Amino acid sequence: MNGPGARRLVSDPSHALENDRASQNDVAESRSADRSFNGEETIVASSPLHRTALHLEAHLIVIAHPLEHCLGRRYSLKPGTVMEVGRASDAEIGFPEVPSISRRHARVSYLAEGVCLEDLGSRNGTFLNNHLVQGRESLQSGDRFQIGAVVFKFLLEEDAEHAYHEAIHQMVICDGLTDLFNRRKFQEEFDREFTRSRRYVRPVSLILFDVDHFKRINDSVGHLAGDAVLQGIARLVKELTRREQVVARIGGEEFAVLCPETPVTGAEVLAEKLRAAFATEIIEIPGQTQLSITCSFGVADLQPRMENSSALFNTADRALYQAKAAGRNRVVTITA
């Protein structure tokens, strides 16, 4: 299947890459249209000019966008093709609405040795699995890479359609930036666990926390630095929590940890452990600076008077508010 956005790699290495201008015009027209995800949208790069040992079609899926445009959009590459990402009008994958992306930001190439990602000297860098891309790096199926404030998931599977729909399912339940559960999935798990704990009179606790002075970080260092902070927090909280605990990003800089079968004292210990870890963590902003952060925590547990999950959530939220009012970088617990 042929489609817009194709750039071909010629078999003679002495020749430069050839642009399909007609295809670029098609792409430019399509970008002026609404970017909302329609559930099956795919843009294909095709017409390879040489044979390779690889035969699988590769897919780049948009899983995070600062304006939530084109989430779920799929860009497909066949062996021997290349796509550039940028704000330029002739970029095969164009995001003119995202200022953190350079005009010619990065390139994805499907070579004989596999699919590679390289930065094109962009202002803000390209990140593969949260690490700055240096030179040309190979992509493996399941990798996540970030270009400006846009995050992609890379797929290279025998059953491409199954892998794509599985990625879309993950996108529905997970936050694209941090790869934690999103608010929707958290609420589903929270309601289920609250009902179970109340019915069988079992303990359950909730930790809410957010980043202190997060707006100041965005305003002074930039939104990409803010993204790096959120990703750093997500990495740490995943390292320090158990598998049965439900960790989610439930707002801009707000996170939740649901602790089944855990009394409030246990949740309080975990909250303090997280607080101390965040306070000593140094967030690296490549090419810019290093940041240290703090977080404030609110902890609450299920009480007999609570009839629904909202009551527990509101109690933990009230504890979080008290922690911030008392000076931030602390844990406050409400048990009554």
Side-chain angles (χ1 to χ4, degrees):
M1 177 177 62
N2 292 333
R7 178 177 286 191
R8 302 188 297 273
L9 290 178
V10 298
S11 55
D12 183 351
S14 66
H15 287 76
L17 297 177
E18 298 180 348
N19 293 336
D20 187 337
R21 297 298 179 185
S23 294
Q24 290 167 3
N25 290 336
D26 292 341
V27 172
E29 291 175 6
S30 70
R31 287 179 192 139
S32 65
D34 179 22
R35 289 177 174 269
S36 59
F37 171 53
N38 66 7
E40 288 292 340
E41 185 169 6
T42 303
I43 296 178
V44 180
S46 58
S47 303
L49 295 186
H50 67 279
R51 293 179 178 273
T52 74
L54 299 176
H55 64 281
L56 302 178
E57 192 171 65
H59 300 279
L60 315 177
I61 303 171
V62 179
I63 61 173
H65 186 290
L67 303 178
E68 297 190 351
H69 288 179
C70 59
L71 296 178
R73 177 172 291 175
R74 172 171 53 174
Y75 297 88
S76 299
L77 293 91
K78 292 183 178 180
T81 61
V82 60
M83 277 185 162
E84 285 190 2
V85 185
R87 288 189 297 107
S89 61
D90 60 346
E92 286 81 10
I93 305 178
F95 295 98
E97 75 284 1
V98 182
S100 58
I101 293 180
S102 298
R103 284 180 52 78
R104 297 194 180 280
H105 196 114
R107 177 184 296 128
V108 182
S109 306
Y110 200 151
L111 308 174
E113 61 269 26
V115 183
C116 299
L117 172 68
E118 59 183 312
D119 187 78
L120 299 178
S122 67
R123 181 178 71 256
N124 292 314
T126 300
F127 295 84
L128 174 59
N129 298 325
N130 295 330
H131 296 289
L132 184 66
V133 170
Q134 304 282 0
R136 178 183 289 172
E137 298 197 23
S138 296
L139 290 174
Q140 303 299 320
S141 189
D143 280 348
R144 295 156 54 90
F145 62 92
Q146 183 169 350
I147 295 176
V150 177
V151 181
F152 293 84
K153 185 166 187 176
F154 173 71
L155 295 176
L156 186 65
E157 301 286 346
E158 287 282 356
D159 190 345
E161 287 305 307
H162 174 77
Y164 172 65
H165 289 292
E166 178 62 25
I168 294 301
H169 171 70
Q170 287 298 113
M171 192 182 72
V172 169
I173 66 174
C174 291
D175 173 57
L177 181 66
T178 63
D179 203 30
L180 299 176
F181 283 144
N182 57 22
R183 177 94 187 216
R184 174 181 176 177
K185 178 62 174 177
F186 168 76
Q187 191 63 53
E188 178 184 315
E189 296 295 327
F190 186 27
D191 289 342
R192 180 184 296 115
E193 188 57 38
F194 182 92
T195 300
R196 187 194 69 82
S197 299
R198 194 164 185 266
R199 177 180 298 161
Y200 297 109
V201 195
R202 302 300 303 168
V204 60
S205 297
L206 176 65
I207 302 170
L208 297 181
F209 68 93
D210 67 15
V211 185
D212 295 331
H213 303 298
F214 186 70
K215 185 177 184 301
R216 186 183 301 172
I217 295 172
N218 278 336
D219 292 344
S220 62
V221 193
H223 287 273
L224 287 183
D227 288 352
V229 167
L230 298 176
Q231 290 169 332
I233 286 174
R235 176 180 54 80
L236 270 177
V237 74
K238 282 190 281 190
E239 289 176 0
L240 296 174
T241 52
R242 299 195 304 269
R243 188 169 186 173
E244 66 270 19
Q245 293 167 333
V246 179
V247 182
R249 180 188 177 199
I250 59 173
E253 71 271 26
E254 189 171 4
F255 298 81
V257 183
L258 180 64
C259 305
E261 296 293 334
T262 305
V264 72
T265 52
E268 195 171 24
V269 169
L270 174 59
E272 178 56 35
K273 184 178 179 180
L274 292 170
R275 186 206 63 78
F278 297 152
T280 57
E281 179 75 1
I282 301 298
I283 306 293
E284 297 280 350
I285 312 297
Q288 296 187 40
T289 186
Q290 294 180 330
L291 292 177
S292 57
I293 59 160
T294 61
C295 293
S296 299
F297 291 77
V299 182
D301 66 338
L302 174 61
Q303 297 293 320
R305 60 178 172 78
M306 296 176 177
E307 296 185 356
N308 52 51
S309 62
S310 295
L312 176 53
F313 186 93
N314 291 339
T315 303
D317 193 48
R318 191 164 74 252
L320 172 58
Y321 178 82
Q322 291 180 12
K324 299 179 82 67
R328 297 183 169 85
N329 189 27
R330 66 193 63 220
V331 176
V332 170
T333 302
I334 296 179
T335 58

